[in-house]
Amino acid sequence: MTTDELSRLTQAVLWGAFLLAALLGALVQRTGFCTMGAVSDAVLLGSWTRLRQWALATGTAMAGFAGLVALGWLRPDQTLYASTRWLWLSALSGGLLFGFGMVLSSGCVSKTLVRVGAGNLKALVVLLVAALSGFATLKGLTAVLRSLTVDRVGVGFGVNADPVHGE
């Protein structure tokens, strides 16, 4: 591959990513797609529309993941999500902290991304804090605290979630 071909391919990928991001941003903006909003609509208003949207998005992501695995393009045992243990206390405490953060920041991260795209500077600060907090919890300073406390409580399965390579 020549330098010119690589440059054209890079430019095509970047434009494709930009167009896909713009399309998804418009879709999120138009539908009001937000996890916190979906739950609050169902609980407070009795409207399940946004919760069904969220369930459809989750199912689509799961089907896409399964498709990538079936095609051999992805091995679940090489991802963060295939494990021989279910760290339920870690998931519960992380979910509670994440939910509390969503309430404080006026919505979920997808809504924050739409607000950043619309030029909201508060949303940019929220996005940066969410990204840094997520990284710190996974690989940074708070990862040590997490691994020494809540990650010690879990249920072992003996095999991982990969039906082909799990042993």
Side-chain angles (χ1 to χ4, degrees), residues 91-165:
L92 180 65
S93 58
L96 288 172
L97 286 171
F98 189 77
F100 185 70
M102 280 196 308
V103 171
L104 290 178
S105 65
S106 304
C108 58
V109 177
S110 64
K111 194 170 195 168
T112 300
L113 281 170
V114 170
R115 288 179 179 154
V116 169
N120 187 321
L121 292 179
K122 174 193 169 206
L124 180 61
V125 172
V126 168
L127 183 65
L128 291 174
V129 169
L132 289 173
S133 299
F135 179 76
T137 303
L138 190 60
K139 300 276 186 185
L141 185 60
T142 54
V144 175
L145 179 64
R146 175 187 47 82
S147 66
L148 292 175
T149 57
V150 294
D151 277 2
R152 294 190 181 261
V153 179
V155 176
F157 296 120
V159 295
N160 69 27
D162 183 0
V164 177
H165 303 99

Side-chain angles (χ1 to χ4, degrees), residues 10-24:
T10 302
Q11 192 172 31
V13 168
L14 289 175
W15 276 111
F18 173 76
L19 291 173
L20 183 61
L23 177 68
L24 290 176

